[in-house]
Amino acid sequence: MSVDEESRPARAKRLPREVRERQILDAAVTVFSQHGYHNASMDEISDVAGVSKPMIYAYLGHKEDLFAACIRREASQLMAAIADGVHAEAPPDMQLWHGLRAFFRFVGDQRESWRVLHRQATSQGGPFSEELLAMRTRAITLVDALLVRSATSRGHTATQSTEALAAALVGAGESLADWWLDHPDVPEKVVASWLMNLVWMGLGNLVDGAVWTPTGE
Amino acid sequence: MSVDEESRPARAKRLPREVRERQILDAAVTVFSQHGYHNASMDEISDVAGVSKPMIYAYLGHKEDLFAACIRREASQLMAAIADGVHAEAPPDMQLWHGLRAFFRFVGDQRESWRVLHRQATSQGGPFSEELLAMRTRAITLVDALLVRSATSRGHTATQSTEALAAALVGAGESLADWWLDHPDVPEKVVASWLMNLVWMGLGNLVDGAVWTPTGE
DNA sequence: CCCGTAGCCTACCGATCAGTAGGTACGGGA
DNA sequence: TCCCGTACCTACTGATCGGTAGGCTACGGG
């Protein structure tokens, strides 16, 4: 009512769906990582994204769908980053080493992504947990495959224990990544080497002063 | 309105506060472990506990307080169980071994407790996360102390890495415990030995067929 | 120059639920 | 027997928040 036409603030131009979807996903990752799934409100996400709520529903669907979409995107990036760092022909210890480094690099670079992937990962309470569980299972399967290859290449037969060990290893990585978030002054390479030494050498050797060092970096 | 006195169902007697508090906490642990913090409703908790909602507020306070009380109780039990299993004079590997066994025994026996402690542990979104974080930190500190004792007894000086390693170890335990919940057919001792071998011997030795075995059980 | 479609919004609904007001019954002490 | 405190309840409110109805506006094609 009686607002001068010229005084209107410059409105964001109309943008193609593709672009808006990315904006919304970015905002969603930010908000989810800050407040967690339940305490994140669609209103805040729409606010951060710079669009109105119905746009989110039109493009990405309900809250659960939106969350699942975030998980899928971020998890894919994480997986890709790790797969990128690992060379399938390298010896097992080097594969593990480069996998760990790629993982920690990702966590360091994409803190928000990591938070939304992990902090929510274990918390149950929604149907969306399927999505997260599936992603985590994929990670464990990946590590499991590495272990199985290592074992069989030495002439051992694979056992159920490799899957369990893979789960333990993934958990160790997650937990250490969390610790790292609280100690950002430690370089990525150092953190990775700590974990590498733990899982490859074992505490039994570490307390005796032995260390694992990468060969042919 | 015209309900026969005699037809009333047998009402639970009036009980001392102490007893009701326990009933409420038990119910809360059950419900929280099933639905998670956010999806657990005070109505359901009061229902399961067999009391009315105002009783909960009178005795245990608001939802967050109630949750914190659950965490405190269950975490104390877990800590006590572990401390009970470990003998401070034993060599480091045996301390770790018995600690792990006590931990997995607890998880196996008190699944609900474990769920409410861990599944919610990493999920942020409430002020109550402080309570959980504090408990987890206590656990890490405990393991850290063990590592430091091991290292210094061998003449090494303690470094920041022990705390990180402790975090990794705790994470590995948590993750493996979760895996175990999905594979209940595996005996507790076996799971514990897998983790013990991983962290004490290291993968480097394991793929070569070496194993750690407890001495003087 | 019109019309369809796709981008985009304001303003609202309805359900769920934490938290409470205000009352009833029971028991023990005087 | 009266009284008072404590155990305990039913029934409500207030707010938050997911989700939607309906409409407005720019733009491209005929």
Side-chain angles (χ1 to χ4, degrees), chain A residues 70-123:
Chain A
C70 291
I71 298 303
R72 264 194 294 273
R73 196 181 68 164
E74 305 306 314
S76 299
Q77 283 183 18
L78 172 57
M79 294 301 209
I82 293 178
D84 232 49
V86 174
H87 301 288
E89 314 82 23
D93 59 339
M94 291 310 284
Q95 281 192 43
L96 185 56
W97 170 240
H98 285 119
L100 287 179
R101 293 217 54 187
F103 168 69
F104 283 109
R105 236 170 357 231
F106 179 89
V107 172
D109 292 346
Q110 319 269 341
R111 309 210 154 198
E112 283 186 352
S113 303
W114 170 246
R115 278 197 132 78
V116 75
L117 280 176
H118 180 237
R119 285 258 141 89
Q120 293 293 320
T122 52
S123 96

Side-chain angles (χ1 to χ4, degrees), chain A residues 39 122 125 154 167 175 199 203 208, chain B residues 39 122 125 154 175 199 203 208:
Chain A
N39 293 323
T122 52
R154 305 288 178 115
S175 185
V199 300
L203 290 172
D208 281 338
Chain B
N39 292 322
T122 52
R154 304 289 178 113
S175 184
V199 300
L203 289 173
D208 281 338

Side-chain angles (χ1 to χ4, degrees), chain A residues 32-36 38-39 96 115 118-126 136 140 147 150-151 154 156 160-161 163-165 167-172 174-176 178-179 183 185-186 194-195 198-209, chain B residues 32-36 38-39 96 115 118-126 136 140 147 150-151 154 156 160-161 163-165 167-172 174-176 178-179 183 185-186 194-195 198-209:
Chain A
F32 281 137
S33 82
Q34 271 170 4
H35 307 304
H38 287 284
N39 293 323
L96 185 56
R115 278 197 132 78
H118 180 237
R119 285 258 141 89
Q120 293 293 320
T122 52
S123 96
Q124 55 191 157
R136 200 163 180 279
I140 292 177
L147 297 185
S150 307
R154 305 288 178 115
H156 309 306
Q160 192 180 27
S161 70
E163 191 191 321
L165 286 184
L169 222 164
V170 169
E174 290 170 343
S175 185
L176 185 53
D178 268 7
W179 178 91
H183 301 74
D185 44 308
V186 180
W194 286 344
L195 184 52
L198 170 63
V199 300
W200 198 260
M201 300 295 288
L203 290 172
N205 295 305
L206 293 184
V207 298
D208 281 338
Chain B
F32 281 138
S33 81
Q34 272 169 2
H35 307 305
H38 288 284
N39 292 322
L96 186 55
R115 278 196 131 79
H118 179 238
R119 284 258 141 88
Q120 293 292 322
T122 52
S123 98
Q124 55 191 158
R136 200 165 178 278
I140 291 177
L147 296 186
S150 307
R154 304 289 178 113
H156 309 306
Q160 193 179 27
S161 70
E163 191 191 322
L165 286 184
L169 222 164
V170 168
E174 290 170 345
S175 184
L176 186 53
D178 268 6
W179 179 91
H183 302 74
D185 45 308
V186 181
W194 285 344
L195 184 53
L198 171 63
V199 300
W200 199 260
M201 300 294 289
L203 289 173
N205 295 305
L206 293 184
V207 297
D208 281 338

Side-chain angles (χ1 to χ4, degrees), chain A residues 186-200:
Chain A
V186 180
E188 165 260 318
K189 195 172 177 177
V190 172
V191 181
S193 76
W194 286 344
L195 184 52
M196 186 67 198
N197 270 288
L198 170 63
V199 300
W200 198 260

